[in-house]
Amino acid sequence: MSVRILALVGSLRAGSHNRQLAEAAVKLAPEGAEIELFEGLADIPFYNEDIDVEGDVPAAAARLREAVAGVDALLLFSPEYNGTIPAVLKNAIDWLSRPFGASSISAKPLAVVGTAYGQFGGVWAQDETRKAAGIAGAKVLEDVKLSIPGSVVRFAETHPSDDAEVTAQLAEVIAQLHGQANSPVAA
């Protein structure tokens, strides 16, 4: 049985280095694992309990919940916007945290990685993402980290999948996430 991992990217920009990093992850999936890049975070309305009504949940939010319910683990890619998590990624976590006590993210192994222009590679945003996902109920792999600094320069002419150091580190993250998702405790 293959482990299914869903990747969520916190940047909507067409040339996003985090999206490129997610694309590299898809290629690096080890045997026995499949990584799917979720499309559609931009279509999900901001979380509002008034519109989160059973049987009438906005279609884009319902699609996200269904996608997460159908996978074994999550891999989140977070850039850093003004020192914190991008709104689109936080919004996805908010939708996934509901319904309270029965959310699709509950107990799913989850790792957060990313790249940013700054010298720390988005560490603050990734820490905030881990915090929000953990509160939402995910089984956050706190020690599985990858923060790549200087994205604008480092990936100016090189796709992350062509950077040997990045692919080695990303492959290790994926292997650890795969191991957690594949363990009997994760099920």
Side-chain angles (χ1 to χ4, degrees):
M1 181 172 109
S2 183
V3 170
R4 295 186 63 220
I5 300 169
L6 188 66
L8 304 179
V9 180
S11 174
L12 303 178
R13 188 172 64 84
S16 164
H17 296 118
N18 280 283
R19 180 171 180 87
Q20 292 175 359
L21 195 60
E23 291 166 354
V26 169
K27 294 177 186 177
L28 292 169
E31 187 173 329
E34 172 191 348
I35 300 175
E36 176 189 346
L37 184 54
F38 183 83
E39 303 288 354
L41 288 185
D43 301 327
I44 301 170
F46 280 113
Y47 185 79
N48 176 342
E49 197 169 5
D50 291 342
I51 62 172
D52 188 6
V53 178
E54 188 174 344
D56 199 26
V57 173
R63 195 170 74 76
L64 173 65
R65 286 177 174 169
E66 289 168 11
V68 171
V71 298
D72 303 298
L74 294 156
L75 182 56
L76 278 51
F77 294 82
S78 183
E80 190 167 274
Y81 292 176
N82 297 313
T84 193
I85 181 174
V88 69
L89 195 52
K90 175 63 168 72
N91 188 50
I93 293 168
D94 290 344
W95 277 102
L96 292 171
S97 73
R98 304 294 179 155
F100 184 75
S103 70
S104 60
I105 198 173
S106 184
K108 299 254 181 184
L110 180 145
V112 181
V113 299
T115 185
Y117 177 66
Q119 66 180 339
F120 301 112
V123 167
W124 291 345
Q126 293 168 35
D127 287 346
E128 291 293 321
T129 304
R130 285 183 197 89
K131 176 183 168 187
I135 291 170
K139 179 185 170 190
V140 177
L141 307 183
E142 294 287 349
D143 295 332
V144 178
K145 299 178 180 181
L146 175 59
S147 301
I148 306 163
S151 61
V152 173
V153 175
R154 184 166 192 157
F155 303 125
E157 296 179 17
T158 303
H159 192 283
S161 62
D162 296 325
D163 184 314
E165 180 183 18
V166 168
T167 57
Q169 292 172 338
L170 186 56
E172 179 57 31
V173 165
I174 296 165
Q176 290 181 40
L177 183 58
H178 177 257
Q180 283 294 313
N182 206 20
S183 72
V185 177

